[in-house]
Amino acid sequence: MALADREKRELEEIEQRLFEEDPEFAAKLTKPSVFVFLSRRTLLLACVVAAFLCGLLVVIAGVTWASVPVVVLGAVVCASVFAGLVVWVWRGQRNAGGLSRGSRSR
C-alpha cells in the first residue's frame, strides 16, 4: 500500500530531523547489516553447523587428552544437534503434509 503525499513529506521531515539531531545514529540506520541479506533459515543452519563443529572439536580434544568425560560431552553435543535437525525436518514435513495438530482426521 503506497503512502499519501502528505505522509511521505512527514516521513522525510522526521528523517531530516533525525539526521540533524543524531547523525551517528542515523548513519547506523542507513548502513545495511550483513545479516539483512541472509534468511532466517540460512542463519539457523550456520548456527547448527557451528554447534556441530564445536562438538566435534570437543570430541577431538577429549581423545587427545584421553579424557572420557570430555569425549562423552562432545558426543552428546553432536548427537543433540543431529537429533534437533531430524526433529526440525520431521516437523516441517509433517506440517507441509497438512497434518498439523488441529487438522488430524480420525
Side-chain angles (χ1 to χ4, degrees), residues 4 6 9 34 37 95 100 105-106:
R6 180 185 59 84
R9 282 193 305 271
V34 174
F37 301 110
N95 289 341
S100 62
S105 59
R106 295 180 185 219

Side-chain angles (χ1 to χ4, degrees), residues 51-57 59 72-84:
F52 187 77
L53 290 176
C54 286
L56 283 179
L57 287 176
V59 168
V72 170
L73 176 67
V76 167
V77 170
C78 290
S80 299
V81 169
F82 180 73

Side-chain angles (χ1 to χ4, degrees), residues 6-27 29:
R6 180 185 59 84
E7 293 170 333
K8 288 180 184 178
R9 282 193 305 271
E10 288 177 3
L11 284 175
E12 288 173 2
E13 290 173 6
I14 292 171
E15 184 179 347
Q16 184 178 7
R17 280 185 295 196
L18 176 64
F19 273 105
E20 291 170 358
E21 291 175 7
D22 194 356
E24 287 182 24
F25 179 68
L29 290 178

